[in-house]
Amino acid sequence: MVRYIIGRIGYLIVTFFIIAALTFMLMQLLPGSPFNSEKLTNEQIEILKDQYHLNDPIAKQFINYIGGIFKGDLGVSFTYDGRPVTKLISERIGPSAVLGIESTIVGTILGLLLGIIAALRRNTYIDYISMIVAVLGISIPSFVFAGLLQYFVGVKWALLPVAFWEGPLYHVMPVISLAVGVMATIARFMRTEMLEVLGQDYMTTAKAKGLSSVTVVFKHAIRNALIPVITILGPLVIGLVTGTLVIEHIFAVPGLGDQFVDSISKRDYPMIMGTTLLYSALFLIIILVVDLLYGIIDPRIRLASGGKD
Amino acid sequence: MDKLLEIKDLHVSFDTYGGEVKAVRGVNLDVKKGETLAIVGESGSGKSVTSKAVMGLIPNPPGRIKQGEILFNGKDLTKLSDRKMQGVRGKDISMIFQDPMTSLNPTMTVGKQIMEGLIKHQKLSRSEARERTVKLLDLVGIPNPDKRVKQYPHQFSGGMRQRVVIAIALACNPMLLIADEPTTALDVTIQAQILDLMRDLQKQMSTSIILITHDLGVVANLAHRVAVMYGGKIIETGTVDEVFYKPKHPYTWGLLSSMPKLHGKSEELLAIPGSPPDLSNPPKGCPFAPRCPHAMQVCIEHMPDYTELTDTQKSACWLLDERAPKVEPPETIGVGGSK
């Protein structure tokens, strides 16, 4: 098992550097330059380019950049008067992380509950309502939902603050907007998996032992139904991170998303690289965690990857 | 011998979109203490449904017990609440399932799956239950039981899994064991081992067994009495000797003839032509009449009553009526004649 994890981390690092290289090259293909202001003369632009080493060959720039990563240095922002990218990111990462984590937890828990209840009450109105909610949650984009929430809950009924990030109450609407999609996807998946598991022979075996229905569902059904659900959790969380870009904008949350979009339009190369690499690292870690979780829940996979005991 | 289980006029139906399917239509059965009763019949004859009704495992909806009583030690199981029935399942009556590959939970260790019942019914502590589990695994012939308890089902072969399933069923020393085609999914050499195991265990524990199967070889091996089911009804019942050597019902003849024989004269396998009746629209008369080579007008119109041939053998066939023509069983039933 330990060997497996070490191997996976090795792959992860390799993938990370491939992403870094690709982003670096793609960024060079972007038309325009960071110093497009009409007020600058050509000479001044050349001086700026020299100062930021943009006249060096691309290979050299890349090697310098990678060297910087090892020292924890992601370069200096072009637009924020030479402030280091690491500092800019760490200032903004808090709200984004909180928003992401809260939405994942809320969405997953509600989704599992909804899916399990729908499966156990199959073909009753509870099931139908849950699935209507789920279909709505999947089909309505989070930004539409966010707008509706702002209009009704925030403005018309004035129950919650419309925007900004100043306390727990401010979290409610953005978290709901993001969590709804996750909840809906997980609910539908969980319902299908639960129905599948409930029809399995080992459920009859469990019942034949005289276990109560609650024990049968909790000890035998849910764990087995979770295995496939875990696989979609990774992509879902990744989707959530992308979702935060828009949602942060709508609710004026001072997170990474806004800064990231801004940096692209301003060709702030080190900012683009820094944020992309942060997101990539996050994705890679989520994928690894999901795979490990999979092994913890399903003993067949654990042994297949860890060798014989 | 005392009757442990008595099923009286059991009717079980399933409500489907196509209407009510009458899977079991008036079954009467009894099982004595320490006895093995085999229920045989082809797919869809209602044998599994009958056994599930005894376990209280008919999924409701769509299934329901329409009428009848299932008396176990004198108390009617059909009238028990869910909670009371949970106390019976796994403790007094337990069940061995057909397919050991799917009847164990893949994400739970084998030991835990056996312990569950012990903890629930016998109120054992975890360590006591674990000790007893190791003994059970040893009893059902699994080598290295103290190591095997910690393993998962996928680390066991099919035959070993079926032993685990048997250990689960035997955990609380049940009075009645229902084995629903316990060897169908196993290969032949393993089948023999499992049958030997069941016979030994029955001797040791004096459990009554209801054996559900369509394999007449298994019946001959294990059972004391046989009930032949067709179209949701029992059409013939008797001791193994009676049913194998002096069968009276044409369907039993057909079943026995269709058994492949090593030294048979005919090269081809004998089958009963036709297919079982549609139980959403069950026939008025004898369900076997449309496939029966000896069917008469009366067979289609009226279900025959049981004719008591001996104290133990009963058969429901119009041929046994004194007004019916004399029909001899075909020679192909094989086991006859030699006795």
Side-chain angles (χ1 to χ4, degrees), chain B residues 87-328:
Chain B
V88 174
R89 276 202 289 268
K91 181 165 176 271
D92 299 326
I93 309 178
S94 57
M95 196 158 179
I96 300 173
F97 297 92
Q98 179 173 0
D99 189 352
M101 304 312 273
T102 56
S103 49
L104 292 172
N105 183 344
T107 58
M108 198 185 263
T109 61
V110 160
K112 270 199 188 134
Q113 297 192 51
I114 302 175
M115 281 160 64
E116 272 184 328
L118 289 167
I119 291 168
K120 157 115 192 177
H121 296 299
Q122 308 207 326
K123 313 276 178 260
L124 297 184
S125 70
R126 292 206 146 259
S127 56
E128 288 168 329
R130 188 172 291 276
E131 243 170 68
R132 171 114 176 87
T133 301
V134 173
K135 278 191 196 133
L136 275 165
L137 287 181
D138 193 39
L139 181 75
V140 296
I142 292 178
N144 302 324
D146 40 340
K147 205 175 148 198
R148 294 292 246 173
V149 278
K150 290 178 223 131
Q151 294 186 333
Y152 289 91
H154 69 274
Q155 292 162 292
F156 287 73
S157 66
M160 284 294 154
R161 285 191 207 191
Q162 192 64 311
R163 288 171 194 265
V164 172
V165 173
I166 293 176
I168 291 175
L170 293 178
C172 303
N173 293 324
M175 289 185 260
L176 177 64
L177 183 65
I178 300 173
D180 190 352
E181 312 209 14
T183 57
T184 313
L186 302 172
D187 56 60
V188 189
T189 47
I190 308 293
Q191 279 186 13
Q193 290 177 14
I194 295 290
L195 290 178
D196 285 346
L197 174 69
M198 285 179 60
R199 198 181 14 240
D200 287 351
L201 291 173
Q202 186 183 26
K203 268 187 204 141
Q204 285 179 40
M205 302 180 151
S206 68
T207 314
S208 305
I209 298 180
I210 296 181
L211 177 71
I212 293 158
T213 182
H214 50 244
D215 185 339
L216 292 168
V218 173
V219 174
N221 227 309
L222 213 59
H224 302 117
R225 280 196 306 128
V226 187
V228 182
M229 273 192 89
Y230 188 81
K233 286 174 182 289
I234 289 176
I235 49 102
E236 181 157 19
T237 165
T239 63
V240 170
D241 281 353
E242 284 164 344
V243 173
F244 273 69
Y245 296 108
K246 289 175 215 145
K248 293 292 185 242
H249 198 286
Y251 178 63
T252 318
W253 298 344
L255 267 187
L256 290 166
S257 306
S258 62
M259 227 164 96
K261 289 161 205 80
L262 210 49
H263 306 292
K265 275 173 243 162
S266 58
E267 304 253 310
E268 60 181 322
L269 287 174
L270 293 170
I272 307 173
S275 51
D278 173 13
L279 290 178
S280 58
N281 184 19
K284 207 161 36 148
C286 172
F288 189 57
R291 296 168 79 184
C292 180
H294 313 290
M296 301 171 285
Q297 191 57 38
V298 64
C299 299
I300 294 156
E301 307 275 338
H302 302 282
M303 181 66 201
D305 283 332
Y306 288 106
T307 309
E308 306 224 350
L309 299 152
T310 66
D311 281 351
T312 43
Q313 190 179 12
K314 280 191 298 185
S315 183
C317 183
W318 283 116
L319 289 179
L320 299 170
D321 192 277
E322 53 199 14
R323 291 160 287 181
K326 287 282 159 276
V327 175
E328 283 302 313

Side-chain angles (χ1 to χ4, degrees), chain A residues 200-202 204-205 207-213 219-220 223-224 227 297-300 302-303 309, chain B residues 52 55 57 86 89-90 95 97 99 102-108 113 116-117 120-121 152 154-155 168:
Chain A
Q200 292 288 324
D201 288 348
Y202 55 80
T204 322
T205 314
K207 277 182 223 152
K209 284 181 220 170
L211 303 177
S212 67
S213 1
K219 285 184 77 177
H220 291 269
R223 184 169 181 166
N224 282 293
I227 296 170
I297 288 207
D298 192 343
R300 287 164 294 187
R302 197 186 313 160
L303 282 143
D309 57 340
Chain B
K52 289 232 168 82
M55 284 295 281
L57 285 178
Q86 282 164 16
R89 276 202 289 268
M95 196 158 179
F97 297 92
D99 189 352
T102 56
S103 49
L104 292 172
N105 183 344
T107 58
M108 198 185 263
Q113 297 192 51
E116 272 184 328
K120 157 115 192 177
H121 296 299
Y152 289 91
H154 69 274
Q155 292 162 292
I168 291 175

